[in-house]
Amino acid sequence: MAKPRTWGMVLAATAFSTQAFAQSALEVDGSAPPEAAATLAALTPSPAPDASVDVAMPGGIPGVVVVGRRERDVQRETTQVITVLSNEDIARTGEGDIAGALGRVTGLSVVGGGFVYVRGLGDRYSLALLNGSPLPSPEPMRRAVPLDLFPTDVIASSLVQKTYSPNFPGEFGGGVINLTTLAIPKQPFLDLNFGLSGDTETTGQVGYDYYGNKYDWTGYGNRDTPPALAAFLASGQRISAGNVDTGAIASQLVSKNNGLVQKIDEVSPNYSGTITAGDSWEFDNSQLGLIATASFNNAWRTRDITEQTPGSFDLSVIDKDYRTVSTENRAIANGLVGLGYEFGEGTLRWTNLYIHDTLKRSDLGEGTQSSQRPGVDFQDQATALYERTLMSTQLTGSFNLDPVTLGARASYSKSERDAPYELEIGYSRSNQAASPYGAYYINRLDNGQTGYADIAFSKLDEDLWSAGADISVRVLPRMVLSAGVDIADTERDSTRRAFQIVAPSNFPSGVAMLRPDYLLSPAVIDHFDIGLVETTETDPAFNATLRTEAGYGQLQAELIDGLELSAGARYERGEQDVRPLQVFDTLTNSGASTHIENDYVLPAATLTYKFREDMQVRFNAAKTIARPQFRELMFQRYFDPETNRTYRGNPLLTDSEFANAEARYEWYFAPEQRFTVAGFYKKIDKPIEAFTGFNDNNPETSFANAPEAVLYGAELEVQKYFSLGDHFQGEFLGSRRAVIVANYTYSRSEINVEDGDTVSVYGTATQPASNFFVDGSPLTGQSDHLVNLQLGLENSGRLSQQTLLVSYASDRVTSRGPAGLPDIYEAPGWRLDFVAREAFTLFDTNMEAKLEVRNILGTGYEEFQERDGNTVYYNKYDVGTLFAASLTMSF
C-alpha cells in the first residue's frame, strides 16, 4: 500500500486543475505555489493546532499550509517540472523588475527589453500569465509581454513550468511563466520604500535631452496631434492625390519643444518610491482582505553607440559607420489593488493592475555612409517618446465541495502604446574642395537633397478578454480526473503614419544650415514652399485578432507505490487574422492580410518514479505549438529603440509545432537543498526565425518559417546551505549560514535545410530556404551556455544578507545575416553583481536597507558580424556599473 501522505499529495495537487498549476504564490510566506500548499497540507499528518494556518489560494482553492519545521520542497512534490521564485528568492537577487529575477532561473535568459527566453527559445515560444490569465502586450506587433514592466514590489512569487501539462494553453514551446500578485494580508501593514541609483556611464556624465513637455519627468507628458495633421488624418485623403495643403501640416510638426536637442552637462541620479499597505477584516465565518501598492520610478540611461553595416562580403569594408549618443529618461508608475473574500468553502479574489511606462529618447550622431555619399559626413538627431500603458482586472473564484473542486476565472486587460512625434533629422557635409567644408546642410544644391527630415506618429490599442472554468473529481482513492475549458479573445489596432519633409531643389544653403526648429519654422516652410510626402501610404494601419477556444481532460493516478502518472490531452482551436485597415477614401493598401485557422490535439504525459525517500526521476513527453505574433505578421515598419533596429512583418508565416521530451533526476538531500540534472529534446516544425536585409542601406529585420529545427541540451542545478556556527565564533559569522545556488544549462540547436525546401516571404516569389538559412546554424536567441551562481551569507535570526551574483551567457544569434553574409550575434558575456540587505530598528520603526552594485565587471553590449578576422558592429556600447541604495520602513 502507498503511504497515505504520498497519495494525499497526488490528490491535493490534481484537485487544483488548470489554475492551481498556473498560480504561483503561497500567501502565508510566499515560498511555494498554491497547488504545493495544498499538497503539503494533504501529505502531512495532523499537526498541532499552532502548526498550521488556513489560507485562500489564488484562484480560490482553500487549503491548509503547514508552517512548522517539517521538511517540504515544492519542486519535489508537484507532478511537473517547476521552479518557484518566492518573494524572498526575488528579494535576495535585489532585482527591481521580475525579468531580472527570472534571469537567475535555470535555463532562462533575458533578452533586450525584458523578454524572457526559456532554454534558448525566443519570446514567441514562452507563455507569460498573470494570476493564471493571459495579458496583452504594449509592444508594436508583438503578443509577448515584456516582463521588465512588472516591478518586483507587486509580484508575490513566480512559477516557471518547463514540462507541458494540458491545463495550460497550447502555446507552450519553451515553458510558462506565471506571475502572482500580492494577496490577502494576515495582519495590517504599511511599507514605505525610497531609493536612489546611478551608473558610471550615465549619472553625472554628459547626456542629451529635449524639452517636450513640462510633465515629461512624470511619464505623462502627453503630445497632442497638431490640428492640421489631425484634420488630415480624419479626412481620408491621400497626400499623393495632390489636393492636400502639406505646408500647413508641416509647419506644425517641428518646434523648439521637440526639434531642439540640448546638452546635459551632468545627468541626474535615478530615484524611486513605493508605498504598500494592507488589512483584513473578520465577518462571522468569512474574511475580507485588501492590499494596495503604488510606486514611481524615474531613471536615466546614456549609451555611446557604435553603429556599422558591412560594405563587402568579407566584412573588410565598412559602409555605414556612425557614433550615436543616445540618452533615455524612463518614468514608470504602477498601481495594484487586490480584494479577497473567503467564505465557508469558497474564495473570491479581485485583482486590478495598472502599469504606465514612458521612455523619452534623445539621440545625436555623426558618421559616414560610403555607399550613399562617398566623401560626405552626416550628422543626425532624433527625438521620441514611447508611452506604454497596461491595465488588467481579474476575478477568480473557487469552491471546495469534497470530493469535487470547482474553479472559475474571468479577466479583461487593455494595453496601449503611443509614440507621437518620432522625429529624425539628418544634415550632411561634403568634404569636397568646392564646398564650404565644415558646415552641415539639410541639403546640397549641386547634388540634390542628401539630408532628411522624417516624422512619424504611431498608436497601438489591444484588448484581451479571457475566461475559463475547471472541475476536479476524486473518483478512486488513487485517481483524480480533471477537466476544463478556456477561451481568450485578443484584438489589436496598430496605426503608423510616417512623413518625410521635402524641400525644393532651389532651397538656399544658408537656410539649410539652420537648426531644426528654425529651419522647419512656419515662416520658412511657407516662404520656400516646403511640403510633405507620406511614406506609409501603402500600409498605414492594421487590425489583428486572435481567438482561441480549448478544452482539456487530465488524469492523475498512483499506479503502484512511488510510481505516479499525470496524463491528458488538450483540444485547442485558434483563429488568427491580420488585415490592413482602410484609412483613405480610396483603398491603397497592399492587401498584406493573413488568415490562420488551425485546431490541434495536444497530448502530454509525465511519469514520476520515487525510487528512494529523497530521490526521484521524471519522464515527460508532449506536443505543443507556437503561433506567429502580430509583430511578425504585420507588413508594417517600426523602429525598436532597444535594439536600435527597424522591423517589418511577413504575412505569409504559419504556425510552428513542437514535439517535446525530457528526463530528469532529482535528489533532495536536505531541507531546502537539492541537486537536479535533466536532459531535454525538442523537434520544431516550421520555426519562425528573424533575418536581416537592407532598406536604403539600413538594416531591416523580418521573419520567415525555417523548414525544421531541433533543440537539445542538459541542465544542472544545486542549492546548498552551510551553517557557519560550527566553524566560526563571533556575532557576524557565528550566527550565519552560507548559501550556494548554482545552475548551468547547455543547449544546442540546429536548423535543418534540405534541397527542395522553400521559404515564403511577402513581396517576393517563393525562394529556396537556403537563401535565408544555413543548414546546421543555431536558432536565434539560443546561447550554448548559461551560468548562474549565487554565493551568499544569511543570518538565521534576522534579515541580514550579503549575496554575490554571477551570470554568463555565451554568444547567441539575434538575426540571420543578409544573403551571403554571416549571421548577426550578440555577446551577453559575464556579469557580476552584489546585493546586501540589512534589517534594523530606528525610532521604534522596523527598517530594511539595501545596497546594490550591478555589472561590477563593466560588461558592455555587442551585436556583431564576423568573417575572416573582420568584425562589423551593428550595435555596440558600454553599460557601466550601477550603484543603488534603498530604504524600506515598515509600520
Side-chain angles (χ1 to χ4, degrees), residues 443-518:
N443 71 358
R444 289 205 30 85
L445 298 178
D446 53 345
N447 291 312
Q449 183 168 329
T450 57
Y452 64 92
D454 297 331
I455 193 165
F457 295 77
S458 60
K459 190 171 182 61
L460 177 151
D461 292 282
E462 182 170 311
D463 296 278
L464 192 158
W465 298 85
S466 67
D470 310 281
I471 182 172
S472 295
V473 183
R474 183 176 61 246
V475 295
L476 293 173
R478 294 191 174 200
M479 182 181 295
V480 171
L481 296 179
S482 304
V485 294
D486 279 299
I487 186 170
D489 207 331
T490 306
E491 182 171 5
R492 168 178 290 193
D493 288 324
S494 178
T495 302
R496 186 174 188 272
R497 306 294 292 271
F499 304 91
Q500 186 176 73
I501 301 173
V502 181
S505 59
N506 62 348
F507 195 64
S509 296
V511 179
M513 290 189 292
L514 292 175
R515 73 188 200 190
D517 56 323
Y518 293 162

Side-chain angles (χ1 to χ4, degrees), residues 117-446:
Y117 286 26
V118 180
R119 290 174 172 171
L121 290 169
D123 57 88
R124 74 173 65 83
Y125 298 126
S126 299
L127 177 68
L129 305 172
L130 182 69
N131 296 327
S133 295
L135 285 170
S137 174
E139 289 298 307
M141 294 168 280
R142 198 171 200 152
R143 280 190 290 115
V145 181
L147 297 183
D148 63 343
L149 281 176
F150 296 92
T152 54
D153 294 318
V154 305
I155 302 299
S157 61
S158 306
L159 177 148
V160 179
Q161 181 172 318
K162 300 175 186 175
T163 55
Y164 179 65
S165 51
N167 48 294
F168 278 124
E171 288 193 76
F172 191 106
V176 65
I177 300 166
N178 186 73
L179 310 178
T180 297
T181 54
L182 300 173
I184 302 175
K186 289 305 171 182
Q187 59 185 13
F189 74 94
L190 172 63
D191 292 342
L192 300 177
N193 174 273
F194 305 94
L196 288 173
S197 66
D199 72 78
T200 56
E201 289 293 319
T202 302
T203 311
Q205 306 296 320
V206 172
Y208 295 100
D209 194 14
Y210 68 99
Y211 177 73
N213 184 294
K214 65 180 180 180
Y215 300 111
D216 282 356
W217 67 273
T218 68
Y220 292 89
N222 297 331
R223 311 311 198 231
D224 294 329
T225 304
L229 177 62
F232 163 70
L233 297 178
S235 70
Q237 299 182 71
R238 293 181 291 117
I239 288 179
S240 61
N243 55 356
V244 176
D245 184 0
T246 59
I249 300 173
S251 65
Q252 297 179 358
L253 297 180
V254 181
S255 69
K256 63 181 180 181
N257 289 352
N258 69 330
L260 183 59
V261 174
Q262 304 175 63
K263 177 183 175 183
I264 305 175
D265 290 328
E266 295 184 0
V267 176
S268 303
N270 312 322
Y271 59 91
S272 64
T274 302
I275 180 171
T276 305
D279 202 351
S280 59
W281 300 269
E282 299 283 346
F283 303 98
D284 296 329
N285 295 323
S286 62
Q287 183 183 35
L288 176 68
L290 169 68
I291 193 165
T293 183
S295 68
F296 178 76
N297 178 286
N298 187 290
W300 292 85
R301 179 177 71 161
T302 296
R303 295 177 292 172
D304 191 342
I305 306 169
T306 298
E307 300 178 68
Q308 299 176 334
T309 59
S312 62
F313 283 105
D314 64 358
L315 308 186
S316 61
V317 177
I318 302 296
D319 180 16
K320 179 180 179 180
D321 193 3
Y322 264 61
R323 179 195 174 194
T324 301
V325 178
S326 176
T327 300
E328 298 169 348
N329 184 207
R330 187 177 185 186
I332 307 174
N334 302 281
L336 179 141
V337 177
L339 281 172
Y341 183 57
E342 301 175 19
F343 54 97
E345 298 298 319
T347 300
L348 293 175
R349 183 175 176 181
W350 184 29
T351 304
N352 301 275
L353 177 68
Y354 171 81
I355 299 174
H356 186 270
D357 184 351
T358 300
L359 184 74
K360 182 183 180 184
R361 181 172 62 92
S362 307
D363 294 352
L364 195 61
E366 268 189 347
T368 61
Q369 193 156 355
S370 58
S371 63
Q372 282 194 348
R373 297 286 299 172
V376 173
D377 294 334
F378 293 91
Q379 184 180 80
D380 296 349
Q381 74 165 57
T383 59
L385 185 83
Y386 305 95
E387 185 177 5
R388 303 183 297 180
T389 305
L390 175 62
M391 296 172 286
S392 178
T393 183
Q394 303 173 337
L395 182 65
T396 61
S398 64
F399 306 91
N400 189 357
L401 309 173
D402 190 37
V404 177
T405 300
L406 300 174
R409 62 205 169 274
S411 72
Y412 167 71
S413 300
K414 182 179 183 63
S415 69
E416 298 176 347
R417 180 185 186 269
D418 195 11
Y421 294 96
E422 285 185 90
L423 178 63
E424 296 182 356
I425 297 178
Y427 291 78
S428 63
R429 177 180 66 187
S430 175
N431 298 331
Q432 305 295 326
S435 298
Y437 180 79
Y440 281 99
Y441 295 82
I442 196 73
N443 71 358
R444 289 205 30 85
L445 298 178
D446 53 345

Side-chain angles (χ1 to χ4, degrees), residues 605-626:
T606 300
L607 191 66
T608 304
Y609 178 41
K610 301 179 178 180
F611 60 93
R612 271 182 43 172
E613 186 69 22
D614 59 351
M615 294 185 186
Q616 60 191 33
V617 291
R618 301 183 195 269
F619 303 94
N620 172 270
K623 179 182 177 181
T624 57
I625 60 170

Side-chain angles (χ1 to χ4, degrees), residues 683-754:
K683 182 178 180 181
I684 313 170
D685 183 39
K686 299 187 183 305
I688 298 172
E689 287 288 289
F691 67 90
T692 296
F694 288 97
N695 181 18
D696 291 333
N697 293 301
N698 292 313
E700 182 177 280
T701 298
S702 189
F703 308 91
N705 288 103
E708 184 185 84
V710 294
L711 172 71
Y712 56 91
E715 294 178 345
L716 184 148
E717 180 183 13
V718 62
Q719 181 168 314
K720 176 66 178 173
Y721 298 100
F722 300 91
S723 176
L724 301 181
D726 298 335
H727 306 283
F728 297 94
Q729 301 297 321
E731 181 179 351
F732 184 78
L733 290 178
S735 61
R736 295 173 183 271
R737 67 176 183 176
V739 180
I740 298 178
V741 181
N743 59 69
Y744 167 70
T745 303
Y746 169 78
S747 60
R748 185 71 181 269
S749 61
E750 296 178 357
I751 296 176
N752 298 326
V753 180
E754 299 180 355

